[in-house]
């Protein structure tokens, strides 16, 4: 019974981590906004000082970002991140060698 529980817990952790990674990778601005909103709720005067300090350190640097087309190159996926255009190479077809 405990082996099944441990297996389910490991699978839950792996799936949860991969889902968070996918959201951060595919929706970076939205994930920063959600993270900032959650950490703002933690950073309340009623929270312990150590928790407030951790929330301030984990706060994202900028929650107001542009879209993927603004050329910020923050995620490395923008067109502006490419330094130079790639030259097209011609296709060369060669006959198969008969053996």
């Amino acid at each position: 019974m405990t082996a099944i529980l441990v297996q389910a817990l490991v699978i839950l952790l792996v799936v949860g981590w991969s889902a968070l990674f996918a959201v951060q990778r595919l929706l970076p601005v939205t994930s920063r906004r959600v993270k900032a909103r959650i950490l703002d709720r933690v950073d309340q005067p009623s929270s312990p000082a150590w928790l407030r300090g951790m929330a301030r350190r984990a706060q994202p640097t900028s929650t107001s970002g542009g879209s993927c087309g603004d050329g910020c190159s923050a995620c490395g996926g923008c067109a502006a991140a490419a330094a130079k255009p790639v030259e097209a190479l011609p296709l060369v077809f060669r006959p198969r060698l008969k053996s």
Side-chain angles (χ1 to χ4, degrees), residues 23-53:
V23 167
Q24 288 177 350
R25 184 74 175 150
L26 298 173
L27 303 168
V29 175
T30 304
S31 66
R32 273 183 272 164
R33 286 179 183 159
V34 169
K35 184 177 177 182
R37 189 171 292 157
I38 291 170
L39 291 174
D40 279 341
R41 293 210 179 229
V42 172
D43 190 16
Q44 297 293 327
S46 60
S47 299
W50 63 271
L51 188 60
R52 293 179 70 194

